[in-house]
Amino acid sequence: MARKKKPGDHPNHERWLVSYADFMTLLFAFFVMMYANSQTNKEKATLISHAFREAMTEGTLGPALSRLLNNIPSKPGQVLPSNIAVLPVQNKKPRPVELLPSLHQLNDTLKKEIQSGRLEVRMEGRGLVISLKEATFFPSGGDILEPTTLPMLAVIATEIKRYPNPIRLEGHTDSIPIKTSRFRSNWDLSAARGIAMLELFAERFGVDRGRMAISGFADTAPVASNETDEGRRRNRRVDIVVLNELAAAQEPVQASSK
């Protein structure tokens, strides 16, 4: 119902009637003005002042502030100062998903291989870890994957392709130094095994390269003592780490390879 005018009302009285939301917006605009006046960038402050004046005189506060906050000229043909950068809109990557279903799926599908000690699947604070034992997947001192392991790796690739989470391929060795014509040290060997896994996942199974990264740890992250043969066997491995949302947020931003 329209408000009836009372004697003495200003002719433009209704124009200045505002809702609570309008009042809060005006209050916000006031603080924007205060901020503008505190800046040493006078050209940007001028744009802010112009947007505010336009809002108050033309009743277009919302659009004016929207243009202001996005550094878009408020008038056709208006040119932004050269020192005000217009940032491009970046495509957001899919948000990492919960990994417990993958843990259960892999434990079920690869049950025999896990029980035989050929690989291990576990959940850590950073995400899902699939640990591939050297004795099963690589020859001693080499980075060529054993062809007999391809069916297992196909199961793993199929599962990790279902989700957008980043993947880290980490190579590990025992503490016995290696120096061959191909590998100068355990660092070279551990990194080369991670690269071999990346190439297989990308070329044969179609995993997006943009999701994957390589780490070579040599003997610096053991899971068992290097004082025994059994401990050294456990330490020689490649870990496929599918990062959870918390761990992924700490990673450098990567562009998709697609």
Side-chain angles (χ1 to χ4, degrees):
M1 178 180 294
R3 177 183 179 275
K4 292 183 179 180
K5 291 186 178 180
K6 296 180 180 180
D9 276 353
H10 190 279
N12 293 323
H13 181 79
E14 299 221 1
R15 179 179 176 182
W16 299 101
L17 290 176
V18 295
S19 66
Y20 176 76
D22 292 332
F23 171 75
M24 294 304 295
T25 307
L26 288 169
L27 188 61
F28 170 72
F30 170 75
F31 283 108
V32 169
M33 284 294 296
M34 295 290 289
Y35 169 79
N37 289 330
S38 70
Q39 301 305 298
T40 57
N41 187 334
K42 298 304 181 184
E43 291 178 311
K44 190 168 186 179
T46 300
L47 284 181
I48 294 174
S49 299
H50 176 77
F52 186 74
R53 286 197 302 272
E54 175 187 328
M56 297 304 297
T57 58
E58 300 178 12
T60 57
L61 183 60
L65 286 177
S66 178
R67 288 192 297 270
L68 171 64
L69 295 176
N70 287 283
N71 287 330
I72 299 174
S74 60
K75 291 289 186 182
Q78 181 179 350
V79 179
L80 285 173
S82 59
N83 61 343
I84 297 180
V86 179
L87 299 178
V89 177
Q90 305 218 347
N91 293 327
K92 292 185 177 180
K93 284 197 167 186
R95 189 173 179 177
V97 300
E98 172 58 51
L99 295 169
L100 276 176
S102 287
L103 174 67
H104 299 320
Q105 178 65 34
L106 289 172
N107 274 327
D108 183 58
T109 307
L110 299 173
K111 184 177 181 178
K112 292 181 179 179
E113 289 79 2
I114 294 171
Q115 289 178 342
S116 65
R118 303 175 76 184
L119 57 83
E120 180 183 349
V121 182
R122 64 183 183 274
M123 193 67 74
E124 293 185 356
R126 57 184 176 153
L128 177 66
V129 180
I130 306 158
S131 191
L132 312 178
K133 307 306 178 182
E134 179 213 51
T136 299
F137 292 88
F138 293 97
S140 178
D143 65 335
I144 306 299
L145 279 157
E146 295 286 355
T148 56
T149 64
L150 291 180
M152 279 186 285
L153 294 172
V155 171
I156 295 169
T158 299
E159 187 61 28
I160 64 178
K161 281 175 66 176
R162 294 175 56 197
Y163 305 123
N165 301 45
I167 301 165
R168 299 295 170 260
L169 303 169
E170 303 176 349
H172 301 267
T173 69
D174 61 25
S175 60
I176 299 177
I178 182 175
K179 187 171 184 180
T180 66
S181 59
R182 180 168 173 75
F183 303 113
R184 294 173 299 175
S185 68
N186 286 350
W187 294 102
D188 285 14
L189 175 59
S190 61
R193 287 176 170 174
I195 293 171
M197 194 64 64
L198 181 147
E199 293 297 334
L200 179 77
F201 278 166
E203 295 296 330
R204 189 179 185 95
F205 300 123
V207 179
D208 181 9
R209 289 177 181 270
R211 293 177 56 198
M212 296 186 285
I214 302 300
S215 296
F217 285 90
D219 62 336
T220 62
V223 293
S225 171
N226 277 304
E227 300 301 317
T228 65
D229 288 341
E230 174 59 26
R232 289 191 290 272
R233 279 196 295 271
R234 291 187 59 195
N235 290 333
R236 297 192 295 267
R237 69 198 190 277
V238 171
D239 288 343
I240 303 168
V241 184
V242 186
L243 300 182
N244 57 28
E245 184 173 6
L246 180 61
Q250 311 304 316
E251 292 288 297
V253 176
Q254 289 180 281
S256 175
S257 62
K258 292 184 177 180

